[in-house]
Amino acid sequence: ITSFESERNITLETKQREVVLLDTNIMALLGAAGTGKTTTAEVLLKKLTELEGIKDEEIMFVAPTGCAANRLKRVVKRKASTIHSFLRLGIETNKSILQDENKELKNIRVLICDECSMITVNLMYELLQHLSTDQLKIYFLGDTAQLLAIGFGKPFANMLHYLPCVTLDVSKRASESSAIT
């Protein structure tokens, strides 16, 4: 952790360190905009690749919208896509390509899903249904105060009752004296 902090000239908060050191295959990382969810995910990936030997091609970033996926791609400098593209969901039929036909799905060992509060029940079902659970680590990132999905359900909010959760609460985008993020 310390080497990554030195490389990037950052200092992780206590809760960010907790996430990186937490040994779990599934968890939720919560926090408002600017609290360091994406930075925490980057440090977590460094740990997984360097200490656990997970290869870059075994890691996938997804988000429910194109805007969120593009922002994620710019920030983490890795491949990122919408959940629909990742699952190859068809617009007209809303049917996904079976896992056997999508080799990319089979090879994923780490999935980081951003902007999770915007995911509908149907989309979350599709995502979880098509992932192989062998050695898979899933990290759900989101802000419970963010806009809800345009569609049915609040699967992310419901999952928070069952998943290990860490909430980041130190804003990195505002001065301490400012009330505005």
Side-chain angles (χ1 to χ4, degrees):
I1 295 173
T2 307
S3 67
F4 186 77
E5 288 177 298
S6 298
E7 279 176 34
R8 293 272 316 271
N9 196 25
I10 59 171
T11 301
L12 294 179
E13 300 293 333
T14 303
K15 290 184 180 182
Q16 289 176 301
R17 286 177 177 275
E18 182 182 325
V19 170
V20 175
L21 297 174
L22 190 63
D23 187 24
T24 184
N25 286 346
I26 186 169
M27 72 163 299
L29 178 57
L30 309 169
T35 55
K37 295 182 298 289
T38 307
T39 299
T40 304
E42 284 184 88
V43 177
L44 183 62
L45 284 180
K46 185 128 178 111
K47 171 195 156 191
L48 293 171
T49 56
E50 290 183 4
L51 298 179
E52 296 185 27
I54 294 175
K55 300 174 188 140
D56 281 344
E57 59 271 11
E58 297 174 318
I59 299 167
M60 187 64 193
F61 284 88
V62 295
T65 67
C67 239
N70 285 332
R71 181 191 173 280
L72 195 55
K73 192 183 302 184
R74 278 192 317 273
V75 172
V76 298
K77 295 173 181 55
R78 291 175 181 263
K79 185 176 179 181
S81 74
T82 64
I83 298 169
H84 285 83
S85 294
F86 175 62
L87 296 176
R88 298 182 184 165
L89 285 172
I91 295 171
E92 292 153 13
T93 62
N94 203 27
K95 297 289 180 194
S96 61
I97 293 177
L98 298 174
Q99 187 173 3
D100 294 340
E101 298 173 28
N102 189 345
K103 292 176 185 168
E104 187 176 38
L105 282 173
K106 285 183 182 179
N107 297 328
I108 298 300
R109 290 187 52 205
V110 177
L111 181 75
I112 297 179
C113 188
D114 199 10
E115 303 291 354
C116 290
S117 66
M118 298 174 65
I119 300 174
T120 64
V121 168
N122 293 341
L123 188 55
M124 185 66 79
Y125 172 78
E126 288 289 339
L127 179 62
L128 297 176
Q129 176 186 3
H130 289 91
L131 293 171
S132 171
T133 56
D134 297 341
Q135 300 179 331
L136 179 68
K137 295 179 182 289
I138 305 174
Y139 301 96
F140 295 102
L141 283 58
D143 179 357
T144 55
Q146 188 178 15
L147 293 172
L148 297 176
I150 298 174
F152 180 72
K154 299 185 294 185
F156 182 59
N158 293 332
M159 288 170 29
L160 299 180
H161 297 286
Y162 305 100
L163 295 180
C165 300
V166 176
T167 303
L168 303 179
D169 53 11
V170 177
S171 178
K172 303 289 188 177
R173 291 190 192 159
S175 68
E176 289 186 26
S177 60
S178 174
I180 302 171
T181 302

XYZ file of all heavy atoms in Angstrom, residues 30-118:
682
model
N -18.803 2.300 -0.291
C -19.748 3.409 -0.369
C -19.063 4.733 -0.106
O -18.062 4.783 0.598
C -20.858 3.221 0.681
C -21.545 1.870 0.702
C -22.401 1.728 1.934
C -22.361 1.695 -0.545
N -19.650 5.780 -0.628
C -19.146 7.118 -0.348
C -19.688 8.110 -1.344
O -20.029 7.760 -2.472
N -19.779 9.340 -0.898
C -20.230 10.419 -1.777
C -19.156 10.695 -2.827
O -18.026 10.196 -2.736
C -20.495 11.674 -0.947
N -19.501 11.491 -3.804
C -18.537 11.878 -4.835
C -17.332 12.528 -4.181
O -17.479 13.352 -3.277
C -19.189 12.850 -5.811
N -16.143 12.128 -4.609
C -14.935 12.753 -4.113
C -14.367 12.167 -2.838
O -13.424 12.703 -2.266
N -14.915 11.048 -2.373
C -14.396 10.453 -1.129
C -13.299 9.429 -1.379
O -12.717 8.921 -0.424
C -15.527 9.800 -0.305
O -16.221 8.856 -1.117
C -16.494 10.846 0.225
N -13.021 9.112 -2.633
C -11.886 8.249 -2.943
C -12.223 6.807 -3.261
O -11.370 5.930 -3.132
N -13.425 6.539 -3.735
C -13.795 5.159 -4.076
C -12.921 4.626 -5.213
O -12.400 3.511 -5.127
C -15.281 5.081 -4.472
C -16.249 5.400 -3.353
C -17.692 5.261 -3.785
C -18.125 6.186 -4.877
N -18.264 7.596 -4.524
N -12.746 5.412 -6.260
C -11.974 4.954 -7.413
C -10.499 4.809 -7.063
O -9.853 3.837 -7.464
C -12.169 5.916 -8.602
O -13.572 6.077 -8.826
C -11.526 5.373 -9.859
N -9.963 5.728 -6.293
C -8.566 5.628 -5.857
C -8.372 4.377 -5.014
O -7.385 3.650 -5.167
C -8.161 6.878 -5.044
O -8.298 8.019 -5.880
C -6.732 6.777 -4.548
N -9.323 4.103 -4.143
C -9.259 2.901 -3.305
C -9.272 1.657 -4.183
O -8.521 0.708 -3.944
C -10.423 2.875 -2.308
O -10.410 4.079 -1.541
C -10.331 1.681 -1.373
N -10.118 1.658 -5.201
C -10.181 0.520 -6.124
C -8.847 0.331 -6.843
O -8.406 -0.803 -7.058
C -11.314 0.710 -7.127
N -8.184 1.424 -7.204
C -6.874 1.329 -7.855
C -5.840 0.664 -6.949
O -5.072 -0.188 -7.385
C -6.363 2.718 -8.227
C -7.022 3.322 -9.440
C -6.387 4.652 -9.769
O -5.384 4.654 -10.511
O -6.877 5.669 -9.271
N -5.820 1.058 -5.670
C -4.869 0.474 -4.725
C -5.212 -0.996 -4.497
O -4.327 -1.850 -4.423
C -4.858 1.250 -3.391
C -3.915 0.604 -2.390
C -4.467 2.705 -3.621
N -6.484 -1.294 -4.421
C -6.940 -2.671 -4.267
C -6.456 -3.521 -5.442
O -5.969 -4.642 -5.263
C -8.460 -2.702 -4.168
C -9.125 -4.032 -3.930
C -8.699 -4.620 -2.598
C -10.636 -3.855 -3.949
N -6.557 -2.986 -6.646
C -6.087 -3.704 -7.836
C -4.584 -3.931 -7.792
O -4.099 -4.981 -8.200
C -6.446 -2.944 -9.106
C -7.897 -3.031 -9.515
C -8.127 -2.245 -10.790
C -8.335 -4.452 -9.683
N -3.867 -2.951 -7.326
C -2.407 -3.107 -7.200
C -2.104 -4.286 -6.276
O -1.250 -5.111 -6.582
C -1.799 -1.821 -6.667
C -0.306 -1.840 -6.627
C 0.234 -0.628 -7.322
C 1.728 -0.583 -7.254
N 2.332 -0.800 -8.544
N -2.824 -4.374 -5.176
C -2.644 -5.488 -4.242
C -2.976 -6.818 -4.926
O -2.220 -7.785 -4.830
C -3.540 -5.299 -3.022
C -3.577 -6.501 -2.098
C -4.750 -6.399 -1.134
C -5.134 -7.756 -0.647
N -6.385 -7.782 0.058
N -4.093 -6.866 -5.626
C -4.528 -8.117 -6.263
C -3.567 -8.566 -7.354
O -3.289 -9.751 -7.492
C -5.940 -7.955 -6.832
C -7.050 -7.760 -5.808
C -8.359 -7.397 -6.503
C -7.223 -8.981 -4.935
N -3.052 -7.618 -8.135
C -2.151 -8.004 -9.220
C -0.765 -8.361 -8.706
O -0.170 -9.333 -9.156
C -2.042 -6.896 -10.288
O -1.636 -5.683 -9.671
C -3.349 -6.709 -11.021
N -0.261 -7.597 -7.755
C 1.105 -7.833 -7.290
C 1.204 -8.949 -6.253
O 2.153 -9.711 -6.261
C 1.697 -6.538 -6.730
C 1.966 -5.525 -7.820
C 2.628 -4.262 -7.312
O 2.957 -4.181 -6.114
O 2.812 -3.351 -8.133
N 0.233 -9.030 -5.353
C 0.329 -10.025 -4.284
C -0.427 -11.318 -4.575
O -0.039 -12.377 -4.104
C -0.165 -9.439 -2.954
C 0.630 -8.251 -2.428
C 0.026 -7.743 -1.125
C 2.090 -8.611 -2.237
N -1.500 -11.225 -5.342
C -2.301 -12.419 -5.617
C -2.127 -12.934 -7.036
O -2.717 -13.939 -7.410
C -3.780 -12.148 -5.301
C -4.008 -11.859 -3.823
C -5.465 -11.713 -3.470
O -6.323 -12.303 -4.162
O -5.759 -11.017 -2.479
N -1.346 -12.231 -7.842
C -1.028 -12.710 -9.183
C -2.154 -12.634 -10.191
O -2.118 -13.309 -11.220
N -3.143 -11.814 -9.954
C -4.233 -11.650 -10.915
C -3.722 -10.792 -12.069
O -3.083 -9.764 -11.869
C -5.465 -11.029 -10.237
C -6.008 -12.029 -9.196
C -6.531 -10.668 -11.260
C -7.147 -11.517 -8.373
N -3.985 -11.249 -13.290
C -3.497 -10.559 -14.488
C -4.456 -9.434 -14.879
O -5.654 -9.509 -14.610
C -3.377 -11.545 -15.641
C -2.414 -12.668 -15.347
C -2.435 -13.691 -16.460
C -1.606 -14.890 -16.050
N -2.207 -16.134 -16.434
N -3.933 -8.433 -15.568
C -4.755 -7.297 -16.006
C -5.968 -7.734 -16.820
O -7.053 -7.178 -16.681
C -3.920 -6.311 -16.833
C -3.073 -5.414 -15.958
O -3.331 -5.324 -14.744
O -2.138 -4.790 -16.501
N -5.789 -8.728 -17.675
C -6.907 -9.164 -18.520
C -7.981 -9.920 -17.735
O -9.055 -10.207 -18.258
C -6.418 -10.001 -19.705
C -5.655 -11.249 -19.339
C -4.146 -11.047 -19.178
O -3.665 -9.906 -19.152
O -3.455 -12.066 -19.069
N -7.711 -10.236 -16.482
C -8.688 -10.915 -15.621
C -9.483 -9.923 -14.766
O -10.288 -10.312 -13.936
C -7.980 -11.915 -14.698
C -7.297 -13.036 -15.447
C -6.477 -13.926 -14.546
O -5.766 -13.413 -13.648
O -6.532 -15.154 -14.740
N -9.251 -8.625 -14.992
C -9.912 -7.565 -14.234
C -10.808 -6.787 -15.177
O -10.407 -6.426 -16.279
C -8.870 -6.617 -13.616
C -7.958 -7.388 -12.653
C -9.550 -5.449 -12.909
C -6.717 -6.630 -12.231
N -12.023 -6.510 -14.739
C -12.944 -5.745 -15.570
C -13.654 -4.697 -14.735
O -14.095 -4.972 -13.624
C -13.979 -6.680 -16.211
C -14.859 -6.005 -17.196
S -13.870 -5.414 -18.595
C -15.025 -4.357 -19.392
N -13.738 -3.499 -15.289
C -14.501 -2.414 -14.701
C -15.777 -2.247 -15.508
O -15.716 -2.183 -16.741
C -13.710 -1.106 -14.767
C -12.604 -1.005 -13.765
C -11.347 -1.493 -14.062
C -12.824 -0.413 -12.532
C -10.309 -1.384 -13.149
C -11.796 -0.307 -11.616
C -10.536 -0.792 -11.913
N -16.903 -2.150 -14.833
C -18.169 -1.909 -15.515
C -18.955 -0.831 -14.778
O -18.737 -0.588 -13.599
C -19.037 -3.193 -15.627
C -18.367 -4.236 -16.494
C -19.394 -3.754 -14.271
N -19.865 -0.222 -15.502
C -20.757 0.789 -14.953
C -22.070 0.711 -15.727
O -22.096 0.215 -16.850
C -20.132 2.171 -15.062
N -23.149 1.203 -15.145
C -24.441 1.082 -15.820
C -24.648 2.025 -17.001
O -25.491 1.776 -17.844
C -25.456 1.385 -14.713
C -24.704 2.174 -13.707
C -23.283 1.724 -13.797
N -23.886 3.098 -17.095
C -24.078 4.055 -18.188
C -22.771 4.290 -18.939
O -21.684 4.079 -18.398
C -24.575 5.420 -17.660
O -23.531 6.021 -16.887
C -25.839 5.275 -16.827
N -22.897 4.754 -20.167
C -21.729 5.056 -20.974
C -20.884 6.166 -20.375
O -19.658 6.113 -20.389
N -21.545 7.185 -19.841
C -20.833 8.297 -19.206
C -19.986 7.804 -18.037
O -18.814 8.166 -17.914
C -21.855 9.310 -18.694
S -21.676 10.918 -19.392
N -20.582 6.980 -17.187
C -19.875 6.449 -16.014
C -18.732 5.531 -16.435
O -17.649 5.569 -15.859
C -20.852 5.715 -15.098
N -18.959 4.719 -17.451
C -17.912 3.811 -17.937
C -16.742 4.593 -18.532
O -15.579 4.257 -18.298
C -18.481 2.844 -18.972
N -17.028 5.651 -19.292
C -15.962 6.470 -19.876
C -15.152 7.192 -18.803
O -13.929 7.267 -18.896
C -16.536 7.478 -20.873
C -16.926 6.809 -22.163
O -16.353 5.790 -22.546
N -17.912 7.366 -22.840
N -15.827 7.704 -17.782
C -15.118 8.369 -16.684
C -14.220 7.367 -15.968
O -13.072 7.639 -15.658
C -16.096 8.992 -15.691
C -15.378 9.710 -14.570
C -16.285 10.130 -13.417
N -15.498 10.646 -12.330
C -14.856 9.918 -11.444
N -14.882 8.613 -11.521
N -14.150 10.467 -10.476
N -14.751 6.192 -15.719
C -14.000 5.131 -15.050
C -12.748 4.781 -15.854
O -11.651 4.660 -15.306
C -14.911 3.912 -14.904
C -14.536 2.809 -13.965
C -14.295 3.317 -12.555
C -15.649 1.759 -13.935
N -12.911 4.648 -17.165
C -11.792 4.320 -18.057
C -10.699 5.390 -17.983
O -9.520 5.073 -17.936
C -12.318 4.206 -19.491
C -11.353 3.596 -20.473
C -11.915 3.576 -21.889
C -13.206 2.825 -21.976
N -13.738 2.713 -23.339
N -11.117 6.655 -17.961
C -10.137 7.755 -17.877
C -9.396 7.738 -16.538
O -8.191 7.953 -16.491
C -10.844 9.107 -18.025
C -11.130 9.512 -19.439
C -11.549 10.973 -19.549
N -12.484 11.432 -18.535
C -13.811 11.342 -18.620
N -14.362 10.797 -19.680
N -14.571 11.799 -17.658
N -10.112 7.486 -15.461
C -9.515 7.555 -14.132
C -8.585 6.376 -13.861
O -7.468 6.552 -13.400
C -10.608 7.645 -13.040
C -10.010 7.521 -11.658
C -11.367 8.952 -13.167
N -9.048 5.160 -14.144
C -8.245 3.974 -13.798
C -7.284 3.559 -14.903
O -6.438 2.703 -14.691
C -9.131 2.778 -13.398
C -9.949 3.100 -12.172
C -10.009 2.313 -14.529
N -7.441 4.170 -16.085
C -6.564 3.874 -17.229
C -6.524 2.380 -17.551
O -5.476 1.795 -17.788
C -5.158 4.424 -16.978
C -5.135 5.932 -16.906
C -3.786 6.456 -16.498
C -3.728 7.952 -16.398
N -4.677 8.590 -15.541
N -7.707 1.794 -17.513
C -7.887 0.378 -17.836
C -9.163 0.230 -18.653
O -9.960 1.135 -18.728
C -8.035 -0.465 -16.570
C -6.796 -0.582 -15.745
C -7.107 -1.326 -14.460
N -5.953 -1.458 -13.615
C -5.183 -2.523 -13.569
N -5.435 -3.555 -14.322
N -4.147 -2.565 -12.756
N -9.356 -0.946 -19.171
C -10.569 -1.227 -19.922
C -11.783 -1.126 -19.004
O -11.771 -1.649 -17.890
C -10.482 -2.626 -20.517
C -11.627 -2.972 -21.417
C -11.427 -4.327 -22.041
C -12.600 -4.657 -22.932
N -12.452 -5.971 -23.528
N -12.807 -0.453 -19.476
C -14.070 -0.337 -18.747
C -15.187 -0.295 -19.777
O -14.995 0.186 -20.890
C -14.093 0.919 -17.894
N -16.335 -0.816 -19.412
C -17.461 -0.776 -20.343
C -18.763 -0.688 -19.575
O -18.796 -0.834 -18.357
C -17.466 -2.021 -21.237
O -17.897 -3.158 -20.521
N -19.821 -0.469 -20.334
C -21.132 -0.521 -19.697
C -21.441 -1.984 -19.389
O -20.869 -2.895 -20.003
C -22.243 0.032 -20.614
O -22.351 -0.813 -21.754
C -21.968 1.475 -21.024
N -22.328 -2.190 -18.456
C -22.731 -3.555 -18.123
C -23.370 -4.209 -19.342
O -23.117 -5.376 -19.637
C -23.690 -3.572 -16.909
C -22.971 -3.014 -15.678
C -24.204 -4.976 -16.641
C -23.872 -2.734 -14.492
N -24.173 -3.445 -20.063
C -24.819 -3.976 -21.263
C -23.792 -4.471 -22.289
O -23.929 -5.554 -22.841
C -25.723 -2.918 -21.910
C -27.000 -2.703 -21.173
N -27.089 -1.874 -20.074
C -28.227 -3.217 -21.365
C -28.329 -1.881 -19.630
N -29.049 -2.687 -20.394
N -22.760 -3.674 -22.546
C -21.726 -4.079 -23.504
C -20.949 -5.281 -22.996
O -20.644 -6.203 -23.749
C -20.751 -2.931 -23.767
O -21.403 -1.888 -24.419
N -20.604 -5.257 -21.724
C -19.847 -6.347 -21.124
C -20.594 -7.677 -21.243
O -20.017 -8.708 -21.580
C -19.570 -6.013 -19.661
C -18.888 -7.104 -18.895
C -17.620 -7.543 -19.249
C -19.493 -7.677 -17.795
C -16.978 -8.543 -18.525
C -18.864 -8.675 -17.066
C -17.607 -9.106 -17.440
N -21.912 -7.634 -21.010
C -22.727 -8.848 -21.096
C -23.248 -9.109 -22.505
O -23.873 -10.139 -22.751
C -23.922 -8.758 -20.141
C -23.594 -8.684 -18.662
C -24.870 -8.509 -17.853
C -22.835 -9.914 -18.204
N -23.000 -8.141 -23.393
C -23.521 -8.203 -24.762
C -25.044 -8.327 -24.772
O -25.620 -9.142 -25.491
C -22.876 -9.357 -25.535
C -21.383 -9.193 -25.665
C -20.789 -10.296 -26.462
N -19.331 -10.152 -26.477
C -18.512 -11.100 -26.843
N -18.978 -12.249 -27.256
N -17.230 -10.900 -26.816
N -25.663 -7.502 -23.949
C -27.122 -7.473 -23.898
C -27.652 -6.775 -25.133
O -27.177 -5.704 -25.494
C -27.610 -6.726 -22.654
C -27.489 -7.457 -21.334
C -27.818 -6.527 -20.175
C -28.402 -8.663 -21.304
N -28.643 -7.378 -25.745
C -29.251 -6.786 -26.924
C -30.294 -5.763 -26.536
O -31.027 -5.947 -25.579
N -30.355 -4.671 -27.264
C -31.321 -3.615 -26.969
C -32.739 -4.086 -27.263
O -33.639 -3.897 -26.472
C -30.998 -2.349 -27.781
C -29.649 -1.796 -27.325
C -32.089 -1.297 -27.630
C -29.120 -0.678 -28.186
N -32.928 -4.724 -28.399
C -34.272 -5.093 -28.806
C -34.805 -6.312 -28.060
O -35.951 -6.362 -27.662
C -34.308 -5.346 -30.318
C -34.089 -4.071 -31.101
C -33.477 -4.323 -32.461
O -33.440 -5.487 -32.896
O -33.049 -3.345 -33.082
N -33.962 -7.299 -27.863
C -34.442 -8.528 -27.244
C -34.168 -8.582 -25.752
O -34.790 -9.334 -25.034
C -33.759 -9.750 -27.887
O -32.360 -9.651 -27.657
C -34.057 -9.824 -29.361
N -33.216 -7.775 -25.266
C -32.776 -7.774 -23.879
C -32.316 -9.163 -23.437
O -32.446 -9.548 -22.300
C -33.862 -7.235 -22.946
C -33.247 -6.705 -21.663
O -32.089 -6.287 -21.649
N -33.998 -6.718 -20.593
N -31.824 -9.929 -24.377
C -31.271 -11.253 -24.073
C -29.761 -11.185 -24.154
O -29.212 -10.584 -25.072
C -31.787 -12.308 -25.065
C -33.283 -12.507 -25.016
C -33.673 -13.198 -23.746
C -35.181 -13.382 -23.720
N -35.673 -13.727 -22.439
N -29.106 -11.785 -23.217
C -27.651 -11.745 -23.228
C -27.096 -12.975 -23.917
O -27.741 -14.003 -24.012
C -27.115 -11.653 -21.803
O -27.523 -12.780 -21.075
N -25.880 -12.846 -24.395
C -25.180 -13.980 -24.978
C -24.776 -14.898 -23.837
O -24.324 -14.443 -22.793
C -23.952 -13.492 -25.761
C -24.437 -12.697 -26.976
C -23.057 -14.637 -26.169
C -23.333 -12.094 -27.792
N -24.982 -16.170 -24.037
C -24.668 -17.124 -22.987
C -23.198 -17.062 -22.605
O -22.346 -16.743 -23.425
C -25.021 -18.543 -23.444
C -26.500 -18.781 -23.748
C -26.690 -20.173 -24.325
C -27.333 -18.604 -22.503
N -22.916 -17.401 -21.359
C -21.550 -17.327 -20.856
C -20.597 -18.168 -21.703
O -19.473 -17.784 -21.931
C -21.515 -17.787 -19.406
C -20.165 -17.580 -18.767
C -20.184 -17.871 -17.294
O -21.187 -18.272 -16.744
N -19.062 -17.682 -16.657
N -21.052 -19.314 -22.197
C -20.202 -20.167 -23.019
C -19.760 -19.459 -24.295
O -18.710 -19.755 -24.846
C -20.940 -21.458 -23.393
C -21.219 -22.317 -22.175
O -20.547 -22.121 -21.142
O -22.107 -23.175 -22.255
N -20.572 -18.542 -24.787
C -20.267 -17.831 -26.016
C -19.449 -16.567 -25.774
O -18.958 -15.970 -26.709
C -21.566 -17.456 -26.729
C -22.396 -18.660 -27.130
C -23.747 -18.243 -27.676
O -23.863 -17.138 -28.227
O -24.695 -19.028 -27.539
N -19.328 -16.133 -24.538
C -18.613 -14.911 -24.218
C -17.376 -15.257 -23.394
O -17.419 -15.364 -22.185
C -19.536 -13.953 -23.443
C -18.930 -12.580 -23.261
O -17.735 -12.393 -23.449
N -19.754 -11.630 -22.892
N -16.246 -15.448 -24.088
C -15.007 -15.875 -23.433
C -14.525 -14.864 -22.411
O -13.912 -15.220 -21.419
C -13.934 -16.131 -24.482
C -14.245 -17.317 -25.346
C -13.216 -17.498 -26.433
C -13.678 -18.644 -27.327
N -12.935 -18.736 -28.544
N -14.804 -13.576 -22.652
C -14.365 -12.540 -21.716
C -14.977 -12.767 -20.329
O -14.326 -12.567 -19.318
C -14.743 -11.164 -22.244
C -14.173 -10.033 -21.426
C -14.480 -8.677 -22.028
O -15.586 -8.467 -22.560
O -13.610 -7.807 -21.950
N -16.227 -13.198 -20.286
C -16.890 -13.459 -19.007
C -16.211 -14.582 -18.236
O -16.077 -14.520 -17.022
C -18.360 -13.840 -19.225
C -19.332 -12.711 -19.514
C -20.686 -13.276 -19.875
C -19.435 -11.779 -18.343
N -15.787 -15.606 -18.942
C -15.168 -16.767 -18.292
C -13.851 -16.428 -17.623
O -13.483 -17.026 -16.630
C -14.907 -17.873 -19.317
C -16.114 -18.623 -19.756
C -15.643 -19.703 -20.705
C -16.782 -20.492 -21.260
N -16.321 -21.512 -22.182
N -13.118 -15.490 -18.186
C -11.768 -15.188 -17.716
C -11.704 -14.130 -16.623
O -10.627 -13.836 -16.122
C -10.899 -14.741 -18.891
C -10.748 -15.854 -19.903
O -10.739 -17.021 -19.551
N -10.657 -15.484 -21.162
N -12.830 -13.558 -16.243
C -12.834 -12.501 -15.247
C -12.655 -13.080 -13.847
O -13.366 -13.989 -13.438
C -14.154 -11.695 -15.311
C -14.307 -11.021 -16.665
C -14.236 -10.671 -14.178
C -13.216 -10.053 -17.020
N -11.670 -12.542 -13.127
C -11.460 -12.931 -11.721
C -11.771 -11.795 -10.765
O -12.015 -12.007 -9.593
C -10.023 -13.402 -11.519
C -9.797 -14.749 -12.206
C -8.471 -15.363 -11.912
N -8.172 -15.447 -10.494
C -6.926 -15.494 -10.014
N -5.896 -15.455 -10.829
N -6.707 -15.566 -8.734
N -11.761 -10.550 -11.293
C -12.097 -9.383 -10.484
C -13.038 -8.501 -11.296
O -12.722 -8.122 -12.420
C -10.842 -8.565 -10.092
C -11.236 -7.320 -9.311
C -9.871 -9.417 -9.293
N -14.171 -8.180 -10.701
C -15.127 -7.280 -11.338
C -15.350 -6.102 -10.399
O -15.703 -6.298 -9.236
C -16.453 -7.981 -11.614
C -17.493 -7.096 -12.292
C -17.134 -6.902 -13.764
C -18.878 -7.687 -12.164
N -15.111 -4.910 -10.914
C -15.386 -3.710 -10.146
C -16.510 -2.980 -10.847
O -16.391 -2.579 -12.004
C -14.127 -2.827 -10.010
C -13.068 -3.624 -9.240
C -14.478 -1.512 -9.310
C -11.777 -2.929 -9.029
N -17.615 -2.870 -10.152
C -18.832 -2.287 -10.704
C -19.074 -0.934 -10.031
O -19.279 -0.867 -8.824
C -19.991 -3.249 -10.453
S -21.498 -2.766 -11.275
N -19.019 0.121 -10.824
C -19.156 1.482 -10.301
C -20.574 1.998 -10.522
O -21.321 1.473 -11.353
C -18.142 2.383 -11.007
C -17.868 3.670 -10.243
O -18.298 3.803 -9.079
O -17.199 4.550 -10.816
N -20.931 3.037 -9.784
C -22.246 3.689 -9.893
C -23.390 2.686 -9.689
O -24.388 2.688 -10.414
C -22.389 4.388 -11.243
C -21.317 5.422 -11.541
C -21.390 6.674 -10.672
O -22.343 6.832 -9.888
O -20.464 7.489 -10.777
N -23.250 1.834 -8.710
C -24.193 0.733 -8.508
C -25.602 1.161 -8.113
O -26.551 0.414 -8.338
C -23.640 -0.247 -7.480
S -22.243 -1.174 -8.120
N -25.747 2.342 -7.550
C -27.094 2.772 -7.171
C -27.979 2.984 -8.399
O -29.200 3.014 -8.290
C -27.045 4.055 -6.342
O -26.561 5.120 -7.121
N -27.381 3.085 -9.570
C -28.137 3.305 -10.802
C -28.517 2.004 -11.523
O -29.082 2.042 -12.605
C -27.322 4.197 -11.738
C -27.051 5.569 -11.159
S -25.948 6.547 -12.189
C -26.936 6.744 -13.657
